Amino acid sequence: QFLRRAMRQTLLLAVLASGEPLKAGTPAMKLLQCDACQSVVNGLRDDVKYLIQAESYWKTSDLVGRIGASCQDPSLPSGAMEEACAAFLGDHHKALQEEIRGRLDPKSDLFEEELVPREMCLEFGVCKPDSKTIGQMVDMSDRRDKDLKEEQKLKEKWAKRKKSAAVDTGDSDEEEEE
């Protein structure tokens, strides 16, 4: 399972780097759409929070425009991620509108509730409960590399100590094995 996940991460990063268009429904596109969903909802969350605090709202045309502009966020990587974002919005823009309207409507059960990106993307079915964002995958990979390097240094340190202890006592590795 670890190897399969690592291969999927490597494939995804290779696809992102290639700049080639992704096909809908592929595992890479699904992962990117999950990331795009969380990025979009995160940006909308900040705007909705501001509107609630200002006791304001968006007209329908403003709401539609704001949702449509979500994929133009400069923090969103270009290329395949833009495609995934556009595909996500194409499938879920109406649901996003309803979620936001509910948070701005005093008559709604959702009134003034915060948008929670992970929960909303799970609800939309864009993310799976065990899915990770690309950033999380890269962080895990970096942490794993760092841990492996530290482990290797410790092994080398212990090997040197063992060798030096064997020389100090006059023992050799061969005598220890016998």
Side-chain angles (χ1 to χ4, degrees):
Q1 183 180 4
F2 171 76
L3 183 59
R4 186 178 306 144
R5 188 176 300 142
M7 287 174 53
R8 187 172 63 203
Q9 291 171 359
T10 304
L11 174 64
L12 178 60
L13 293 174
V15 167
L16 287 174
S18 74
E20 292 294 319
L22 292 175
K23 294 181 183 175
T26 62
M29 179 59 95
K30 289 177 184 178
L31 284 171
L32 288 175
Q33 282 185 330
C34 177
D35 265 22
C37 176
Q38 292 183 63
S39 177
V40 165
V41 174
N42 192 47
L44 291 169
R45 175 185 62 193
D46 295 341
D47 291 350
V48 169
K49 190 184 297 185
Y50 171 78
L51 290 171
I52 290 169
Q53 290 172 348
E55 296 182 5
S56 188
Y57 64 94
W58 277 320
K59 293 183 229 169
T60 301
S61 60
D62 294 335
L63 175 58
V64 169
R66 174 56 184 91
I67 292 171
S70 296
C71 292
Q72 297 168 359
D73 183 337
S75 68
L76 202 65
S78 59
M81 183 60 94
E82 287 175 328
E83 292 176 40
C85 188
F88 162 71
L89 288 182
D91 293 340
H92 300 284
H93 68 90
K94 288 186 191 265
L96 278 169
Q97 287 177 34
E98 292 306 312
E99 289 287 339
I100 292 169
R101 277 194 195 113
R103 274 133 177 108
L104 300 174
D105 180 3
K107 297 175 186 171
S108 171
D109 291 340
L110 297 174
F111 182 59
E112 294 186 342
E113 281 191 26
E114 186 174 346
L115 294 172
V116 181
R118 181 81 178 152
E119 289 177 14
M120 190 169 290
C121 296
L122 285 168
E123 185 180 312
F124 290 159
V126 179
C127 296
K128 295 179 182 176
D130 62 341
S131 64
K132 295 186 177 13
T133 65
I134 294 171
Q136 290 171 325
M137 287 187 239
V138 170
D139 288 345
M140 276 179 33
S141 178
D142 289 347
R143 245 182 282 129
R144 188 173 38 249
D145 288 346
K146 181 181 174 187
D147 290 346
L148 288 172
K149 287 177 184 176
E150 287 179 21
E151 182 180 339
Q152 185 61 35
K153 285 180 185 177
L154 283 173
K155 284 181 181 179
E156 290 170 3
K157 182 178 177 181
W158 282 106
K160 285 180 185 177
R161 282 188 181 175
K162 185 176 177 183
K163 188 175 183 179
S164 119
V167 169
D168 289 345
T169 61
D171 294 340
S172 69
D173 288 339
E174 294 159 1
E175 290 175 355
E176 288 178 12
E177 290 177 9
E178 292 176 5

